[in-house]
Amino acid sequence: QPSASEATSAGPASSADDGATYRAHARAIRTHIQARNIPGIVEVMRAIANSGRRPPYSIWEMALRGFLQEHMLDLFDTAHAFLRDTLKVPLSMPLYALWMRTLHNHGDVGGVQAAFDEMVALGQIPTQQHYLTLVLAYAYGGMLDQAIAIVQNLRRPGSVLRPGVQLESAVVEAYVASDEMERAEAELRRLLDSTHLPPGSIPARPFNSIIIGHLRQGSGDKAMRMYTEMVRLGVSPDVYTFSILMHSYATAKDAKNCMRVFNEMLRIGVVPNIVTYSILIYAFNMVRAFDKAEKVFQHVLHEQEWARAQVESQDLVMAGGCVPSTSPEVLDLYAGAAPLDLWDEVGRLSREERVRIRSFYNLDPVIYLIMLSLYRRSHRVSWALATWERFITNFPIVQWNPRAGGVESHSRSYTSPVHILAWTLLLRTVTKSIGAPQVFRQPVKHIRYFAVPLYSRGIRRRLNSREQQKLNLEYLLKKRPEDPRIRDLSERMQQRARIVSRIEAEIDERLHADRRFFERQRQVQPLPKLESQLYFNEFRYWMPPAIDLTRLRAISNNRLAHARAPIPLFRKRVVPASHTATGDPVLAFFSARGKFNRADAQDFAAILARQWRDLENAQFAFNNIHVAVYLPSMLVGRQYEDLIRFLEKVEPRRPADHQPPPPQSGYTYRNINIDPRSTRLLMSQLRIVRKQMLVERERRILLAILLDSDSDLRAAYAAETAHGQLGNVQRSDHELRAMQERMVVHSERELSWARELRTLLYVARLWKWHVKGSLKADLAAAMERAAVAPYQ
């Protein structure tokens, strides 16, 4: 059998072109490994096979390492079986070690033993690293006797391999894993008595294991005594020692002592890694010191930028052809540890720099989970969204899962538990900011989200124009207070505001007194038809003759192009950054009343809907928890188009005796359970939107009566109501103009509410397919009540 280092080729000797081709393939595989693109690696190997060439072993090993690093064990098994059975090529010793560690991380004790046996059967001599992985696999698999027996056999005279300090330390760790602390301490004393190493060369690992065991049993005093004994003997604590102590303080919500241990670690020159910073952030999160936790996280991000800059500037790669990465089980302090001598050209960097690069080049996903949890507790939704974007960029959604059905299973997807947990945290964070949980607890607050209708694009343009002119006036008053024309304009606008206030008060009084008349009329009157001559985008009527509107617009445009400070109105009503992205400051202006800006709910819901669509395109495996949080957020945030898109992809509920549809029926979501609270929220929303539409309709009808003295509606009003005698009411031109403007405003609102009600009724029709029992009947009744008033 050829050795693992030899290239196996049944064809002629490789030419210079073949060598260049293999180097190109190697670069492609390395790129795919860096991008964690397993399908890309498979495609490169297929391209090599289709070309009729047999790749050298170095390319095989590079691909196999990529499979193991992404835990694609089925792919690894397929490629390994081809190498072993067809090409008769054994794996290299480092690759066997990586394979065994990966199986150990998956808890596959039988797989670790099988890999070890195969290596021995092929004539390979196991090293300390292979025995160490085997012993730990048995120890953490609950088979203590087998783990101890392996080391006892190696201690016998005549053994090919004598157990070193690492293997002896593994015995201590095995006892700790079985909660036999007395035997673990006795084994540690035997190790210290039998070793010839100076105290400074004794590894900290056995002491760390015993400290972990005492802390797991709740014996903090014994753990600290072991740490004190370790320091007294002259054994140097490592980063794992301090991480263990910091974690114990963090779980006890003692951030002060956690920080003290961290500072002690820095004082003695131990380089912190990503685990250390994750624990420190967790400690600050537990005591709600959010600003301190954020500073630590920003430092971690700076460390990542530095590490990546070092790799890019010095062209650092690992021997396997990939950049350094951390194990997914990084909080298992010794899992997946790779020797530092895998680096090429390591002379350029110090040991501390190499440790920093290995730890921070790819941040462990756990730190993102901690930060998302922190942002949820501190209500920092914008930061949570930014952290999610960074997380999803560094750890893309896996769209291809060979473990689900072999190499050819391109149509089956897999979502890691880390992604599911991260998305759940983000979903709850954004939902909390939208306000759905508060509405569930206090349904009376639901109506506060409907102060402003969802205007169409044309109406929104007119609103923007009107509000911009008001803002221009405030700007001119600030810049030119001495100009008599500007003062005159200000007085006219104040007069208009007083007239509008009197008109609205009169409308309130008449509607209250003549309630029955308007309740009848609102059921029979059709929707208004806004004529183009009724539109008003500017307050031209209220402008003094001396004001040049063209000049006013030019001044306004120049201010918008060069002004840096916000205008006074927006100082009082702060517009969040999300409105800048949507280009819709009108919603913020009209709904910014009080301390909470309800327009934020719509912006955050729109962002959440976009994230959901992106994950859906990536074949993310949503669960019922996600749906239970997502649906009320879309309702409160009024994202009806996304609700319709989602509900149309959900398989409807069917009777028990009905056969389910075939897989190719087109439904994306099946077995979805909608929270009953969300259904009640939908019924409440139908009632609120209908009420808002009818309120605006009553006001518009009354204004039409007041303005049109010859209409049949005015005659009916005069005949049936106590306030109907309007013949003696004399109104000025200013009052009539203000009433016309208010009728346009109320008509715009009525049309917008009617449009939203029509959309919401369609949502309810789709929703009804996914509920059952009394809730379905209640929803049908709510839909019937909402459809009574004409809205088409």
Side-chain angles (χ1 to χ4, degrees):
Q1 291 181 353
S3 65
S5 61
E6 296 175 351
T8 60
S9 178
S14 298
S15 63
D17 292 340
D18 290 338
T21 302
Y22 287 138
R23 286 193 294 272
H25 287 313
R27 286 193 299 270
I29 292 176
R30 184 181 299 115
T31 302
H32 290 312
I33 292 176
Q34 292 176 3
R36 301 187 172 190
N37 182 12
I38 300 302
I41 300 175
V42 176
E43 290 303 321
V44 173
M45 300 302 291
R46 282 177 174 169
I48 297 175
N50 294 335
S51 66
R53 297 184 178 92
R54 181 174 296 176
Y57 176 78
S58 58
I59 289 184
W60 279 108
E61 179 158 347
M62 191 184 303
L64 290 172
R65 281 182 177 275
F67 297 153
L68 289 177
Q69 287 168 6
E70 295 304 319
H71 297 257
M72 296 296 183
L73 292 176
D74 280 358
L75 269 182
F76 176 87
D77 292 341
T78 303
H80 171 225
F82 178 74
L83 275 177
R84 181 191 60 210
D85 301 334
T86 304
L87 301 182
K88 307 298 183 183
V89 178
L91 303 181
S92 65
M93 297 295 285
L95 192 55
Y96 271 115
L98 179 59
W99 183 22
M100 293 174 64
R101 284 199 303 270
T102 305
L103 292 170
H104 168 46
N105 291 337
H106 280 263
D108 188 358
V109 181
V112 175
Q113 183 65 64
F116 183 86
D117 294 340
E118 177 186 311
M119 178 178 58
V120 174
L122 293 175
Q124 306 278 17
I125 300 178
T127 64
Q128 295 268 348
Q129 187 67 32
H130 298 97
Y131 279 108
L132 175 65
T133 305
L134 185 62
V135 170
L136 293 179
Y138 277 115
Y140 286 103
M143 292 175 261
L144 176 62
D145 295 338
Q146 289 89 329
I148 301 300
I150 294 172
V151 181
Q152 293 290 357
N153 291 332
L154 293 177
R155 288 173 179 170
R156 293 177 180 175
S159 175
V160 177
L161 179 70
R162 299 291 296 174
V165 177
Q166 285 188 339
L167 269 178
E168 298 290 357
S169 302
V171 177
V172 177
E173 195 168 344
Y175 284 125
V176 171
S178 300
D179 290 330
E180 298 189 17
M181 299 305 301
E182 293 183 0
R183 298 180 67 181
E185 293 187 9
E187 189 65 30
L188 176 60
R189 288 192 294 270
R190 193 197 67 78
L191 171 63
L192 295 176
D193 293 339
S194 62
T195 184
H196 300 289
L197 295 175
S201 300
I202 298 176
R205 180 165 185 163
F207 293 91
N208 296 340
S209 300
I210 294 180
I211 292 174
I212 290 174
H214 285 313
L215 291 174
R216 191 166 57 216
Q217 294 181 351
S219 303
D221 294 338
K222 293 182 179 180
M224 290 306 300
R225 281 200 298 270
M226 178 56 61
Y227 172 74
T228 304
E229 179 68 13
M230 173 184 181
V231 176
R232 186 188 66 81
L233 292 173
V235 179
S236 300
D238 58 10
V239 65
Y240 303 122
T241 309
F242 291 105
S243 298
I244 295 164
L245 298 175
M246 289 175 62
H247 187 265
S248 66
Y249 284 121
T251 52
K253 298 184 179 181
D254 190 351
K256 183 177 180 180
N257 275 323
C258 184
M259 192 67 194
R260 179 180 60 81
V261 174
F262 180 80
N263 290 331
E264 175 66 14
M265 177 178 61
L266 297 179
R267 187 187 67 80
I268 67 175
V270 177
V271 181
N273 60 11
I274 188 63
V275 178
T276 314
Y277 286 113
S278 298
I279 295 172
L280 190 59
I281 292 173
Y282 175 73
F284 287 134
N285 186 19
M286 294 298 290
V287 297
R288 306 185 72 84
F290 302 127
D291 291 336
K292 294 181 179 179
E294 178 63 28
K295 288 181 180 179
V296 177
F297 183 61
Q298 292 301 321
H299 177 73
V300 170
L301 296 181
H302 289 313
E303 288 284 297
Q304 185 186 39
E305 293 176 2
W306 174 87
R308 296 193 170 184
Q310 291 295 318
V311 172
E312 293 174 1
S313 62
Q314 302 193 30
D315 296 328
L316 293 176
V317 294
M318 291 181 67
C322 64
V323 295
S325 61
T326 55
S327 169
E329 293 80 20
V330 72
L331 290 184
D332 181 3
L333 299 180
Y334 292 104
L340 292 175
D341 58 1
L342 289 177
W343 292 83
D344 294 333
E345 303 185 31
V346 294
R348 301 180 186 178
L349 299 172
S350 65
R351 181 182 182 279
E352 290 76 10
E353 289 175 328
R354 285 179 286 162
V355 172
R356 288 173 62 192
I357 291 176
R358 187 181 297 279
S359 182
F360 293 102
Y361 186 88
N362 280 326
L363 298 184
D364 187 85
V366 172
I367 196 170
Y368 291 105
L369 299 179
I370 295 173
M371 292 308 301
L372 288 173
S373 174
L374 182 146
Y375 294 141
R376 177 172 177 250
R377 298 184 68 193
S378 58
H379 311 290
R380 301 181 181 184
V381 60
S382 299
W383 294 0
L385 289 167
T387 303
W388 167 260
E389 291 287 349
R390 185 183 291 270
F391 166 72
I392 210 67
T393 301
N394 288 293
F395 299 94
I397 302 298
V398 178
Q399 300 187 35
W400 185 62
N401 178 24
R403 293 187 66 81
V407 177
E408 299 296 334
S409 59
H410 294 277
S411 62
R412 305 190 66 177
S413 61
Y414 168 76
T415 303
S416 69
V418 175
H419 285 95
I420 293 177
L421 181 55
W423 174 245
T424 304
L425 289 171
L426 178 73
L427 201 61
R428 293 185 184 278
T429 303
V430 181
T431 301
K432 190 174 183 179
S433 298
I434 291 173
Q438 293 88 331
V439 174
F440 279 154
R441 290 193 298 269
Q442 297 176 302
V444 69
K445 292 185 176 181
H446 193 192
I447 194 172
R448 299 182 184 181
Y449 290 83
F450 297 88
V452 179
L454 297 179
Y455 293 109
S456 64
R457 186 175 302 176
I459 296 177
R460 190 181 294 118
R461 280 198 299 267
R462 293 195 288 273
L463 291 175
N464 276 327
S465 178
R466 297 171 202 165
E467 292 306 320
Q468 191 58 59
Q469 198 166 87
K470 291 181 180 179
L471 300 179
N472 294 341
L473 175 60
E474 292 194 10
Y475 173 77
L476 291 174
L477 284 173
K478 179 180 178 181
K479 294 297 182 182
R480 301 181 183 181
E482 72 287 348
D483 192 331
R485 296 174 299 174
I486 303 301
R487 289 200 301 269
D488 186 18
L489 175 58
S490 175
E491 291 173 0
R492 285 171 176 259
M493 295 299 292
Q494 292 175 9
Q495 180 187 8
R496 176 187 178 276
R498 290 192 293 269
I499 293 174
V500 169
S501 178
R502 289 199 304 269
I503 291 173
E504 293 293 338
E506 180 184 351
I507 291 174
D508 291 336
E509 181 182 356
R510 289 180 178 275
L511 289 177
H512 179 72
D514 305 326
R515 169 61 48 196
R516 292 185 178 180
F517 174 82
F518 289 102
E519 285 180 351
R520 291 197 309 271
Q521 293 299 323
R522 72 186 187 184
Q523 302 295 334
V524 297
Q525 293 296 324
L527 286 176
K529 295 182 179 180
L530 286 177
E531 304 295 339
S532 59
Q533 64 267 21
L534 295 179
Y535 295 159
F536 73 101
N537 299 337
E538 299 174 324
F539 299 95
R540 184 184 297 272
Y541 176 86
W542 307 95
M543 297 292 175
I547 293 291
D548 185 357
L549 283 178
T550 305
R551 179 61 178 165
L552 181 62
R553 295 191 197 100
I555 293 174
S556 168
N557 295 334
N558 183 67
R559 176 184 66 84
L560 292 177
H562 298 92
R564 294 182 180 273
I567 50 184
L569 181 62
F570 283 125
R571 286 200 187 103
K572 291 184 291 184
R573 297 171 176 145
V574 179
V575 180
S578 55
H579 287 290
T580 304
T582 59
D584 189 12
V586 175
L587 292 180
F589 175 82
F590 279 103
S591 60
R593 299 174 181 174
K595 296 182 179 180
F596 181 75
N597 190 351
R598 300 291 170 182
D600 291 347
Q602 298 176 30
D603 291 326
F604 287 141
I607 295 172
L608 189 64
R610 186 174 65 249
Q611 294 287 346
W612 185 284
R613 292 194 301 270
D614 293 342
L615 292 179
E616 189 177 75
N617 294 333
Q619 303 179 28
F620 189 89
F622 298 102
N623 56 33
N624 275 315
I625 295 177
H626 300 152
V627 174
V629 179
Y630 177 72
L631 290 182
S633 301
M634 294 298 101
L635 279 174
V636 175
R638 301 161 78 179
Q639 301 301 309
Y640 301 122
E641 292 183 4
D642 286 279
L643 262 178
I644 292 171
R645 185 191 60 82
F646 173 81
L647 292 172
E648 288 177 343
K649 294 184 177 183
V650 178
E651 178 185 355
R653 286 183 175 272
R654 300 172 184 271
D657 57 348
H658 196 284
Q659 292 295 327
Q664 63 271 19
S665 59
Y667 294 116
T668 304
Y669 305 97
R670 292 180 173 83
N671 301 320
I672 294 299
N673 297 319
I674 295 181
D675 190 346
R677 296 181 302 172
S678 300
T679 305
R680 297 188 188 97
L681 186 68
L682 174 60
M683 292 187 286
S684 171
Q685 198 146 325
L686 282 167
R687 182 173 62 254
I688 290 171
V689 174
R690 175 180 179 271
K691 179 180 178 181
Q692 296 292 76
M693 183 192 71
L694 295 179
V695 166
E696 299 297 337
R697 175 171 293 179
E698 289 177 352
R699 305 181 85 83
R700 189 260 307 171
I701 292 173
L702 179 55
L703 283 169
I705 291 174
L706 297 177
L707 286 171
D708 190 354
S709 59
D710 298 329
S711 66
D712 296 337
L713 189 60
R714 177 159 177 165
Y717 180 68
E720 298 181 23
T721 64
H723 289 76
Q725 304 301 323
L726 302 173
N728 297 328
V729 178
Q730 300 295 325
R731 301 186 188 274
S732 65
D733 292 341
H734 288 347
E735 288 179 317
L736 293 175
R737 175 62 187 183
M739 291 171 65
Q740 290 175 357
E741 292 179 356
R742 295 309 297 169
M743 189 172 72
V744 171
V745 169
H746 290 301
S747 298
E748 290 171 344
R749 293 178 180 175
E750 181 186 351
L751 288 171
S752 301
W753 285 119
R755 177 171 170 265
E756 182 172 353
L757 181 61
R758 183 167 57 250
T759 306
L760 194 55
L761 280 169
Y762 182 69
V763 171
R765 281 196 292 272
L766 295 175
W767 194 293
K768 193 170 64 170
W769 286 98
H770 311 294
V771 293
K772 59 181 179 179
S774 59
L775 273 179
K776 189 170 185 177
D778 293 343
L779 180 58
M783 293 170 59
E784 185 177 355
R785 288 192 298 270
V788 168
Y791 58 87
Q792 293 181 347

